[in-house]
Amino acid sequence: MTLTPLQIAALVLAWLGYAVLHSLLASLWLKRRVAARWPQLAPAYRMMFNALGALLLVPPLWLTFAWHGPLLWAWEGGWAWLANGAALAAIGGFIWSTRYYDMATFLGSAQWAAHHGAAEDPGGLRLSPLHRYVRHPWYGLGLVILWTRDMDEARLVSSLCITLYLWLGSLLEERKLLAFHGEAYARYRARVPGLLPLPGRVLRADEARALEQLARTPIRKV
C-alpha cells in the first residue's frame, strides 16, 4: 500500500519519540539524577537502559513492517550479490569487533556485579582496529546493513529517520566522550572521521595506543 501523509507523519513521530526518550535515558544528566536520588538503582542503570532501549524500538518497528507496500527499489542480479555481501560483511564486522569491546560493561553486568554507583561507565578509552578508521564503527556498520536492504515507502522513511538519529546520536555521545577523556578524545576526533571512512584519515596502531595512554594519564592541577 502507498503511505498516506498521516501515516508518514505517524511513523516519523514514532521514531522521533524513540530518539528523544533514548537520548534522555543515555544522558549524563539523567544518570546523575538517578545515582543521586536512588543510589541503589545506579548499578543496574545500564541494564535497565538496554532493556528500555529495546522496548522503545517496538512501536516504530511494528509500524514499519505493518505498513509495508510495493517496493521502491530492489537489489537484483549482481547488485543483489554486492548488497547482500556488504550486509554480511557488516554483520561479520559486528561479531568480530565484540572481541575488542568490554561487553560486560556494555551490557551492564559489570556495573551490577561491582556495585558501580557512578553515572559514568567504568573503563578508559579503548580504540579497536575499526576505531582507527571511524569513530563510531557500530553505527557505520549499521548504516551499511540498513541501506543494502530492499526499500518500500515505510522502510525508506524509517531508514532516513534512523540515519539521522545515528548521526545526531553520535554527536551527543561525543560530548560525553570529550567530558570523560578530554584532550585524548579531542585529538582522536580531529584525526578520524565519524561514521564513514575517508582516505588519508586513518589512525596507525601505535597512534591509537598512544591516545589510549594519554586518556589514562591524570591531569595535573597547578
Side-chain angles (χ1 to χ4, degrees), residues 15-38:
W15 282 113
L16 178 62
Y18 170 81
V20 171
L21 290 173
H22 190 264
S23 297
L24 177 62
L25 291 169
S27 68
L28 275 178
W29 174 82
L30 184 59
K31 290 181 180 179
R32 288 169 175 163
R33 292 278 299 222
V34 171
R37 189 174 181 87
W38 300 285

Side-chain angles (χ1 to χ4, degrees), residues 75-193:
W75 302 99
E76 297 179 349
W79 290 109
W81 283 96
L82 182 62
N84 291 327
L88 287 173
I91 293 171
F94 269 116
I95 297 171
W96 173 77
S97 67
T98 58
R99 63 189 295 187
Y100 297 99
Y101 283 79
D102 185 347
M103 294 306 295
T105 298
F106 177 78
L107 296 173
S109 58
Q111 294 90 313
W112 174 258
H115 304 287
H116 181 79
E120 295 81 3
D121 290 331
L125 179 64
R126 301 183 66 180
L127 301 176
S128 72
L130 290 181
H131 281 92
R132 292 166 49 201
Y133 297 88
V134 289
R135 300 194 303 272
H136 304 281
W138 280 7
Y139 292 177
L141 292 171
L143 289 175
V144 171
I145 296 171
L146 191 68
W147 289 101
T148 51
R149 303 300 86 211
D150 297 342
M151 288 287 174
D152 59 20
E153 285 184 324
R155 277 180 275 181
L156 179 59
V157 171
S158 291
S159 295
L160 290 170
C161 290
I162 294 169
T163 299
L164 179 61
Y165 181 55
L166 287 178
W167 174 64
L168 292 175
S170 70
L171 299 181
L172 294 174
E173 183 179 346
E174 292 199 335
R175 293 176 60 182
K176 294 189 295 183
L177 293 170
L178 282 169
F180 292 163
H181 307 301
E183 178 64 19
Y185 195 83
R187 293 185 187 180
Y188 172 63
R189 186 173 67 169
R191 281 290 310 278
V192 178

